[in-house]
Amino acid sequence: MNESKKNIEINSILKAILKREYPSYISKNFSSQIMDKIYKTSFRNNIYSHTLRIASAVTFAVATLFLMESFFVDKVKYSKTTINHEIIAPTKNVTNQVDDCDKVNDNIKSSDKLECK
Amino acid sequence: MIDDDTEIIEEIINGDIDKYEYIIKKYQLRIINLCYKYTKNHSDAEDVAQESFLKAYNSLSKFRFESKFYSWLHRIAINCSLNYINSKEKLREKETISENSGLINNEGEVMDIMARSDQAGTDTPYNSYNLEDMAKTIDFVYNNLPDDLKLVLKLRDIDDMTYDSIALETNLPIGTVRSKLHRARELLSKTIKKDIEDE
């Protein structure tokens, strides 16, 4: 036994006897029994907390990977890797059409002059 | 409040579990004796004391240092003892109900509990310290100490007086009080050491 622990035990026995606060018997391994239980509990707690830490780290890593994948990887699937077609800009053909006079005349005000066929 | 245990308790809270053994060794006898007053059985008293120390350890982070650690531990031990009494009373009630209603078909079980309870009262000397014997030797040595050593020891270890108060009471400098106390304790410790080694 550690010397200082032994001294504490002896002093406590001495004090208890002087104060008349002692039981008739005490197990020699009373304190070590309690310490064993404490060590076992703390060992179990350590394993639990380590497992919990590892599990949370793995979960976090998987979630991050999933997020990164969904942000950065393009989901559009192309049929070809290269596009050979020329891109033609869409145009609009407009013809300079002039309406017939008899169609237009109904809507003409007197002041207006309108060119027609 | 100034408490001798504050530093050690802080170390335990910070993760130095081994230090808790100092606390157990320091208070084990007083706590077992307290539990014995309730349980009236040595073996049960040790079990309840053990439970009290474990409960105190598990709740150590809740200890606010507003009172002395021993007062806190004392309160826990009383609560554990009361719980023990309640559980024992419930067990006894169950036994009485079973006996009265004639439903005892597990008589053997009840007898087992009673036998265990009786057995628990008798300690096995080879794995226990006999404190009664130790106390007789200590009393003898204490009574034969020089008066000045006996007085200092009584004031400090029995009356729990501070060094300052002892110095005032005995008209001695604090250094002398300390050295006299050291000598007295050393003489008595030798006796305990010898008893422990013999056992």
Side-chain angles (χ1 to χ4, degrees), chain A residues 12 26-28 37 39, chain B residues 18 25 46 50 129 160 199:
Chain A
S12 77
I26 179 175
S27 298
K28 287 176 185 174
K37 283 185 184 171
Y39 288 134
Chain B
D18 294 345
K25 285 196 178 295
E46 279 200 12
Q50 204 174 84
Y129 292 125
D160 284 329
E199 285 193 46

Side-chain angles (χ1 to χ4, degrees), chain A residues 4-5 8-10 12-13 19-28 30-31 33-34 37 39, chain B residues 18 21-22 25-26 28 30 33 46 50 123 126-129 131-132 135 139 157 160 193 199:
Chain A
S4 58
K5 274 183 191 168
I8 285 183
E9 187 169 33
I10 287 169
S12 77
I13 292 175
K19 277 178 163 281
R20 305 267 167 236
E21 285 184 5
Y22 61 93
S24 305
Y25 296 95
I26 179 175
S27 298
K28 287 176 185 174
F30 179 78
S31 63
Q33 277 177 352
I34 300 174
K37 283 185 184 171
Y39 288 134
Chain B
D18 294 345
E21 200 168 358
Y22 288 92
K25 285 196 178 295
K26 193 171 175 183
Q28 56 187 7
R30 291 165 78 182
N33 190 50
E46 279 200 12
Q50 204 174 84
D123 268 322
Y126 61 86
N127 63 5
S128 303
Y129 292 125
L131 294 160
E132 296 283 4
D139 280 346
D157 281 353
D160 284 329
K193 258 183 202 168
E199 285 193 46

Side-chain angles (χ1 to χ4, degrees), chain B residues 3 9 21 28 40 49-50 73 78 93 105 144 166 173:
Chain B
D3 188 0
I9 298 296
E21 200 168 358
Q28 56 187 7
K40 310 287 179 202
Q50 204 174 84
L73 182 64
I78 290 175
E93 267 172 33
N105 54 1
N144 287 300
I166 297 170

